[in-house]
Amino acid sequence: SGNNWSLMASTSVAVGRGSSLVRGDGDYLYALRGNTTKDFFRYSTTTNIWSNMASTSVNMTIQAPLVYPGSGDYVYALGGNSKDFFRYSISGNSWSNLASTSANAGYGAALAYPGSGDYIYAHRGSDTTDFYRYSISGNSWTTLASSSVKNYFGGSMVWGGDNYLYLGPGTRHGG
């Protein structure tokens, strides 16, 4: 609202390729460190403090997006450069493996939750047009119609508060 930036507390270690950030429950943000680590953090927006949380079960090597479905106890993560899909329990401070995707997610992978309902949407990235839907209650993936563009470096996806998901496709090799 003030149209300015403020410097907040830094994480205790450097973040890198594969890092991601999502707003979760209450005043918390959740972050994967990336950088070929299993590190996971929580940041309090009211106290300006980072906390180490339970580590993931695999190293996050390349873009590993996070999504929080707006309420409840879980943050979801799509494993970088793998078929892995995880769920983090906020109350239990622990990770669980869920149903795997049909192909490795890679650069440009993205997750989005459309504000309500049972589904999380995923774009595979990896210079593909692959688009999927995950059923939270069914712990299963469905392949949907391909996107019209390939998604690679810097790709992202967000729900716009309407009937649409918006895809920022990123570029191949920075060009």
Side-chain angles (χ1 to χ4, degrees), residues 76 85 98-99 118-120 133-142:
Y76 295 83
F85 189 60
L98 298 172
D118 184 50
Y119 299 111
I120 294 171
R133 179 177 70 191
Y134 174 78
S135 168
I136 296 169
S137 65
N139 188 28
S140 61
W141 289 95
T142 302

Side-chain angles (χ1 to χ4, degrees), residues 37-55:
T37 72
K38 299 176 183 181
D39 298 342
F40 186 64
F41 305 100
R42 180 173 75 178
Y43 173 78
S44 170
T45 59
T46 57
T47 63
N48 190 30
I49 295 173
W50 287 96
S51 303
N52 294 329
M53 307 307 287
S55 297

Side-chain angles (χ1 to χ4, degrees), residues 22-107:
V22 69
R23 184 178 192 281
D25 62 326
D27 75 329
Y28 293 109
L29 306 177
Y30 294 89
L32 286 167
R33 177 178 175 203
N35 213 22
T36 314
T37 72
K38 299 176 183 181
D39 298 342
F40 186 64
F41 305 100
R42 180 173 75 178
Y43 173 78
S44 170
T45 59
T46 57
T47 63
N48 190 30
I49 295 173
W50 287 96
S51 303
N52 294 329
M53 307 307 287
S55 297
T56 61
S57 59
V58 299
N59 288 332
M60 296 297 172
T61 57
I62 60 174
Q63 192 164 347
L66 293 168
V67 70
Y68 178 70
S71 64
D73 188 44
Y74 299 108
V75 172
Y76 295 83
L78 190 59
N81 201 29
S82 74
K83 297 177 184 180
D84 297 322
F85 189 60
F86 310 97
R87 178 173 75 182
Y88 173 76
S89 169
I90 295 167
S91 65
N93 188 28
S94 61
W95 288 91
S96 301
N97 292 337
L98 298 172
S100 297
T101 58
S102 59
N104 285 0
Y107 293 110

